[in-house]
Amino acid sequence: MDLRNGFLRITNSAGVSSSFTVTGSEYISGSTDVSTIQGSTVDGTLFNVLGTSGQLFTVTDGLSGSLFSVNTISGLPVIEAFSDFSFVAGQYGVNNLFVKDGKVGIMTGTPTATLDVVGNTRITGSTVITGSLTIPQEGETNLLTVGGTTTAPTLLVGTNQKINIGTTSSVSTVNIAGTTNVLTVEGTTVEGNMFDVYGPSGQLFSVVDGLSGSLFSVNTISGVPVMEVFSDNVVNIGQYSNPPLVVTGSEVRISGSTTVTNANLNVTSGSLIINKSGSGASDPLFDVEGAQGQLFSVIDSFSGSLMSVNDISGFPILEVFSDDKVVMGTYGSNALVVSGSSVIIGATGSAAPTITGSEGQTQFVVSGGNAFIYVWLAGRWRSGSLA
């Protein structure tokens, strides 16, 4: 060890048994164990580097507190290691970087997670999160904003429990704005549910990606379908077990009682078929009601009236009966009666009048290809053929 030109030069092996101070430059060379500093006092400073304005570097032999620090020219630590295995870097007292017990804190000295950041974070590049992502509400209006613009963010999650895509609107729980292809749901599993809507009492809406069975349903609050679309081109609408409207291919079937109010029922091609199960029922198959009453009626029955066209008061002016009789005209007048092969004008529907007439009253009957005239004279009908 020698001192030359203001430099302390230590070569080979040299031992210093007491403290010493180097003012100027120090040069130490060697191959292994170049420099060993061993202190004898607990909590004593082993190595200090002082600048013109204060302590720059220090190593302390201590069981507690600061063990190592790199300081500013003012002597305040910018890097510091402590005996409790904690490490601090950055502006003194700010905790720009704090490491302890496997946790890293940025702008906090009490990290509660593996990485705990207080303040805004900017990440350039890809981020992979394995596990859950929790964003607590701490006085912020928007919890998460991703891309887009201020008025049309790609994704916006607010503290009002609303999710917005392409908009800042908060009308609904989920708000989506776009011009084309606004929402596409694509499934990868056959027979899996692609889209479900649940109410407080059960499933309200469901779309299934399936090759068979139910593909789409709109349900009651109890989860029972009121409209269901099947893979075999069948659509059921109405009561689940006995739907009143069934569409099969190009055929529409209506069962039960059906009422069309203030609307038109148009059949542009094909036929309108009304088919009621059972026989002999007296309930109308088809009714047309006007503002003043029943205008038209068709009844499925083995006896009595089968069909009628009524005046605005509901009285038949054309009526078809189960015994092959058709009556037309003012109700009760039998102005024109067709019974079997007979056409009767002003009679009751048989081959000869059976009602009591008035003196000189005339009635005509066409029966079996022959025409007859009946005149009420002297208390009875008198007839003659019309050649």
Side-chain angles (χ1 to χ4, degrees):
M1 179 174 65
D2 59 50
L3 182 63
R4 297 180 183 179
N5 300 324
F7 290 88
L8 175 64
R9 179 182 179 88
I10 302 174
T11 59
N12 296 325
S13 176
V16 179
S17 59
S18 61
S19 63
F20 67 93
T21 302
V22 177
T23 303
S25 300
E26 178 184 2
Y27 175 80
I28 301 175
S29 67
S31 56
T32 60
D33 298 327
V34 175
S35 177
T36 301
I37 301 175
Q38 182 174 352
S40 59
T41 302
V42 176
D43 290 326
T45 300
L46 286 175
F47 188 70
N48 265 341
V49 177
L50 300 179
T52 56
S53 299
Q55 189 182 52
L56 298 178
F57 184 81
T58 182
V59 177
T60 304
D61 179 16
L63 298 177
S64 63
S66 177
L67 302 180
F68 167 94
S69 68
V70 178
N71 307 322
T72 66
I73 59 175
S74 302
L76 297 176
V78 291
I79 297 177
E80 194 166 12
F82 295 87
S83 58
D84 62 354
F85 305 105
S86 62
F87 175 86
V88 180
Q91 183 180 350
Y92 179 71
V94 176
N95 294 312
N96 296 103
L97 177 64
F98 180 89
V99 180
K100 183 180 179 181
D101 298 333
K103 297 181 175 62
V104 177
I106 297 178
M107 304 303 292
T108 177
T110 56
T112 58
T114 302
L115 176 62
D116 194 338
V117 179
V118 176
N120 298 328
T121 303
R122 181 184 181 88
I123 300 175
T124 301
S126 301
T127 302
V128 178
I129 299 175
T130 301
S132 61
L133 174 64
T134 301
I135 305 176
Q137 177 181 342
E138 295 181 354
E140 297 293 332
T141 302
N142 298 325
L143 295 179
L144 177 65
T145 303
V146 180
T149 64
T150 302
T151 58
T154 303
L155 175 64
L156 173 64
V157 180
T159 58
N160 54 1
Q161 298 182 343
K162 303 293 177 63
I163 298 176
N164 300 325
I165 299 176
T167 178
T168 57
S169 171
S170 297
V171 177
S172 305
T173 302
V174 178
N175 303 278
I176 302 176
T179 54
T180 59
N181 299 327
V182 175
L183 177 63
T184 300
V185 180
E186 183 175 349
T188 58
T189 303
V190 176
E191 305 292 351
N193 284 20
M194 296 188 67
F195 189 71
D196 279 337
V197 177
Y198 283 86
S201 300
Q203 189 182 54
L204 298 177
F205 182 83
S206 177
V207 177
V208 180
D209 179 15
L211 300 178
S212 62
S214 177
L215 302 181
F216 168 94
S217 67
V218 179
N219 307 324
T220 65
I221 59 174
S222 302
V224 178
V226 291
M227 183 175 78
E228 195 163 14
V229 180
F230 295 87
S231 58
D232 56 356
N233 298 325
V234 174
V235 179
N236 290 346
I237 301 175
Q239 184 180 354
Y240 174 65
S241 59
N242 186 26
L245 178 61
V246 178
V247 180
T248 305
S250 59
E251 180 181 301
V252 179
R253 289 182 286 125
I254 301 175
S255 60
S257 177
T258 302
T259 302
V260 178
T261 304
N262 298 327
N264 297 321
L265 179 61
N266 299 320
V267 180
T268 56
S269 62
S271 303
L272 176 62
I273 300 174
I274 301 175
N275 184 17
K276 185 174 183 179
S277 60
S279 60
S282 58
D283 294 333
L285 280 174
F286 187 70
D287 270 342
V288 177
E289 299 279 344
Q292 304 295 325
Q294 189 183 56
L295 298 177
F296 183 79
S297 178
V298 178
I299 298 175
D300 179 18
S301 178
F302 286 142
S303 62
S305 177
L306 303 181
M307 185 195 85
S308 67
V309 178
N310 307 324
D311 60 20
I312 59 174
S313 301
F315 292 107
I317 54 176
L318 170 64
E319 195 165 12
V320 180
F321 294 87
S322 58
D323 58 356
D324 298 327
K325 182 172 64 177
V326 179
V327 179
M328 290 172 278
T330 303
Y331 179 69
S333 68
N334 297 311
L336 177 62
V337 178
V338 178
S339 180
S341 59
S342 300
V343 178
I344 306 163
I345 301 175
T348 59
S350 59
T354 57
I355 62 174
T356 301
S358 57
E359 190 69 18
Q361 181 180 350
T362 302
Q363 294 193 14
F364 297 92
V365 176
V366 178
S367 178
N370 298 313
F372 300 89
I373 183 171
Y374 290 84
V375 180
W376 182 268
L377 294 174
R380 65 184 182 90
W381 290 104
R382 302 177 187 275
S383 65
S385 62
L386 299 176

